[in-house]
Amino acid sequence: MALWRAYQRALAAHPWKVQVLTAGSLMGLGDIISQQLVERRGLQEHQTGRTLTMVSMGCGFVGPVVGGWYKVLDRFIPGTTKVDALKKMVLDQGAFAPCFLGCFLPLVGVLNGMSAQDNWAKLQRDYPDALVTNYYLWPAVQLANFYLVPLHYRLAVVQCVAVVWNSYLSWKAHQL
């Protein structure tokens, strides 16, 4: 409980910094889970650079983009009724999610040094599956998030659920 109160104080004092650092930390945790539990690499074979890439993606891309998106979405569709939450979820999943994944996957490829041709081929191969998998998880999560969670906590809630999603994305983004 003390940790939660400390998080709330930090979030109130420095909302943007805390949201970005939370996203980076949880992206890194997702990659660690991917490498250790999904891929079973073991500590000797753990790719620290890959984890740092995912932390960088969380701090430099996911946190700012998703955090900014929630602010825009809340201005565009103000309110917290069930209908408002449904509208936000439809816009989030119909417009934002496809664009976000279409940027995320090739950006990881660039950070991993992939050629433009290999990155394009990988995007064509992995994007449809990633988007369909997105639709299994995120509509229900986002509907609850938009209806029940105050704006300044939405990124943190999503990133906690996203530890599992980040593990999947890290695995998908790093498959060759």
Coordinates of all heavy atoms in Angstrom, one line a residue, residues 1-2 6-7 21 30 38 53 56 58 74 78 84 123 145 157-158:
M1 N 0.8 -1.2 0.0 CA 0.0 0.0 0.0 C 0.9 1.3 0.0 O 0.5 2.2 -0.6 CB -0.9 0.0 1.2 CG -2.3 0.5 1.1 SD -3.0 0.1 -0.5 CE -4.6 0.5 -0.2
A2 N 2.0 1.2 0.7 CA 2.9 2.4 0.8 C 3.5 2.6 -0.6 O 3.6 3.8 -1.0 CB 4.0 2.1 1.8
A6 N 3.1 6.0 -2.8 CA 4.3 6.7 -3.4 C 4.1 6.9 -4.9 O 4.5 8.0 -5.4 CB 5.5 5.9 -3.1
Y7 N 3.6 5.9 -5.6 CA 3.3 6.0 -7.0 C 2.3 7.1 -7.3 O 2.5 8.0 -8.2 CB 2.8 4.7 -7.6 CG 2.5 4.8 -9.0 CD1 3.5 4.7 -10.0 CD2 1.2 4.9 -9.5 CE1 3.3 4.7 -11.3 CE2 0.9 5.0 -10.8 CZ 2.0 4.9 -11.7 OH 1.7 5.0 -13.1
L21 N 8.1 6.5 -17.6 CA 9.0 5.6 -16.9 C 8.3 4.3 -16.6 O 8.9 3.2 -16.7 CB 9.6 6.2 -15.7 CG 10.6 7.3 -15.9 CD1 11.0 7.9 -14.6 CD2 11.8 6.8 -16.6
G30 N 8.1 -7.0 -19.7 CA 7.5 -7.9 -20.7 C 8.6 -8.7 -21.5 O 8.4 -9.8 -21.8
V38 N 8.8 -17.6 -22.0 CA 8.3 -18.0 -23.3 C 9.4 -18.7 -24.1 O 9.2 -19.8 -24.6 CB 7.6 -16.8 -24.1 CG1 7.2 -17.3 -25.4 CG2 6.5 -16.2 -23.3
T53 N 16.3 -2.3 -25.5 CA 15.6 -1.8 -26.7 C 14.1 -1.7 -26.3 O 13.5 -0.7 -26.6 CB 15.7 -2.8 -27.9 OG1 17.1 -2.8 -28.3 CG2 14.8 -2.3 -29.1
S56 N 13.6 1.2 -24.0 CA 13.7 2.4 -24.8 C 12.4 2.7 -25.6 O 11.9 3.8 -25.7 CB 14.9 2.4 -25.8 OG 16.1 2.2 -25.1
G58 N 9.5 1.6 -24.7 CA 8.5 2.0 -23.8 C 8.6 3.5 -23.4 O 7.6 4.2 -23.3
D74 N -9.8 11.6 -24.7 CA -10.6 12.1 -23.7 C -11.1 13.5 -24.0 O -12.2 13.9 -23.6 CB -9.9 12.2 -22.3 CG -10.7 11.7 -21.2 OD1 -11.4 10.6 -21.4 OD2 -10.8 12.3 -20.2
P78 N -15.4 13.5 -24.5 CA -15.4 13.7 -23.1 C -16.6 12.8 -22.4 O -17.5 12.5 -23.1 CB -15.7 15.2 -22.9 CG -16.4 15.6 -24.2 CD -15.9 14.6 -25.2
D84 N -20.0 6.6 -23.8 CA -18.7 7.2 -24.1 C -17.6 6.2 -24.1 O -16.7 6.3 -24.9 CB -18.4 8.3 -23.0 CG -19.4 9.4 -23.0 OD1 -20.0 9.8 -24.1 OD2 -19.7 10.0 -21.9
L123 N 7.2 -7.0 -41.3 CA 5.9 -6.3 -41.0 C 4.8 -7.0 -41.8 O 3.7 -7.3 -41.2 CB 6.0 -4.9 -41.4 CG 4.7 -4.0 -41.2 CD1 4.4 -4.0 -39.7 CD2 4.9 -2.6 -41.8
N145 N -11.3 0.1 -19.0 CA -10.4 1.2 -18.7 C -11.1 2.5 -18.9 O -11.0 3.4 -18.1 CB -9.1 1.0 -19.6 CG -8.0 1.9 -19.2 OD1 -7.8 2.1 -18.0 ND2 -7.2 2.3 -20.1
V157 N -2.8 1.4 -15.8 CA -3.6 0.2 -15.9 C -3.3 -0.6 -17.1 O -3.2 -1.8 -17.1 CB -5.1 0.6 -15.8 CG1 -6.0 -0.6 -16.1 CG2 -5.4 1.2 -14.4
V158 N -3.3 0.1 -18.2 CA -3.1 -0.6 -19.5 C -1.7 -1.2 -19.5 O -1.5 -2.4 -20.0 CB -3.2 0.4 -20.7 CG1 -2.6 -0.2 -22.0 CG2 -4.7 0.7 -20.9

